[in-house]
């Protein structure tokens, strides 16, 4: 059996459409601890004003899960964006508060973007961004599928 000297996952010759996936798993109790720390800046720099206000409307026992799921979604998006650039220098400085996760009238999550992050996405022009968030026990999981 001959081993390949080049990686199999090279994107040099791929043409549109193509996909990139990102996933993330967060530990909800860490978010619960952070919510109790009145001196933390984590929520202010990581979530939009809308997300923080929405989180405050949740029952106290659901707030950590709410924020953990949204953080996982932001991380999964960044991984999906970086994934299509395999073997290329990173070109994205992320301001998490420029990424917002909302829900439609039926509870399905979707992204809204602001500032430099919105400009970045407008430049790379993904055709579709799909988001899924799930919670179980002490964990929140998110998966993002980008189609270019």
């Amino acid at each position: 059996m001959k081993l390949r000297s080049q990686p199999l996952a090279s994107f040099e010759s791929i043409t549109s459409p193509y996909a990139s996936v990102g996933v993330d798993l967060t530990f909800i109790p860490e978010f619960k601890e952070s919510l109790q720390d009145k001196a933390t800046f984590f929520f202010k720099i990581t979530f939009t004003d809308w997300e923080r206000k929405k989180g405050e409307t949740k029952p106290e026992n659901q707030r950590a899960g709410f924020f953990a799921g949204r953080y996982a979604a932001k991380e999964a998006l960044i991984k999906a964006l970086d994934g299509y650039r395999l073997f290329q220098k990173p070109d994205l400085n992320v301001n998490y508060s420029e990424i917002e996760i909302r829900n439609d009238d039926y509870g399905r999550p979707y992204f809204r973007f602001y500032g430099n992050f919105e400009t970045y996405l407008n430049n790379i022009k993904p055709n579709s961004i799909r988001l899924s968030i799930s919670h179980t026990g002490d964990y929140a999981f998110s998966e993002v599928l980008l189609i270019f």
Side-chain angles (χ1 to χ4, degrees), residues 83-111:
Y84 92 95
R85 296 184 45 76
L86 193 62
F87 301 110
Q88 297 176 41
K89 182 181 175 186
D91 70 345
L92 175 62
N93 280 328
V94 178
N95 180 345
Y96 285 78
S97 64
E98 292 180 343
I99 305 167
E100 183 174 84
I101 295 93
R102 294 196 179 203
N103 297 85
D104 71 9
D105 293 340
Y106 303 98
R108 294 177 293 241
Y110 66 93
F111 288 108

Side-chain angles (χ1 to χ4, degrees), residues 40-143:
T40 186
F41 286 96
F42 174 75
F43 294 94
K44 181 142 179 82
I45 63 172
T46 307
F47 300 100
T48 65
D49 289 338
W50 183 90
E51 287 170 318
R52 290 193 313 274
K53 288 176 186 171
K54 184 70 172 178
E56 290 171 9
T57 69
K58 299 289 181 185
E60 192 168 336
N61 65 342
Q62 294 177 13
R63 287 182 193 155
F66 173 85
F67 287 112
R70 274 156 172 71
Y71 183 79
K74 293 176 188 211
E75 283 286 309
L77 174 64
I78 292 163
K79 290 173 183 178
L81 284 167
D82 206 36
Y84 92 95
R85 296 184 45 76
L86 193 62
F87 301 110
Q88 297 176 41
K89 182 181 175 186
D91 70 345
L92 175 62
N93 280 328
V94 178
N95 180 345
Y96 285 78
S97 64
E98 292 180 343
I99 305 167
E100 183 174 84
I101 295 93
R102 294 196 179 203
N103 297 85
D104 71 9
D105 293 340
Y106 303 98
R108 294 177 293 241
Y110 66 93
F111 288 108
R112 290 183 78 174
F113 305 107
Y114 304 97
N116 291 329
F117 201 87
E118 181 178 24
T119 301
Y120 177 82
L121 285 176
N122 286 335
N123 287 335
I124 64 170
K125 298 177 177 42
N127 291 324
S128 179
I129 303 175
R130 298 290 182 238
L131 168 61
S132 179
I133 302 173
S134 186
H135 303 80
T136 184
D138 284 341
Y139 295 94
F141 175 82
S142 185
E143 180 176 44

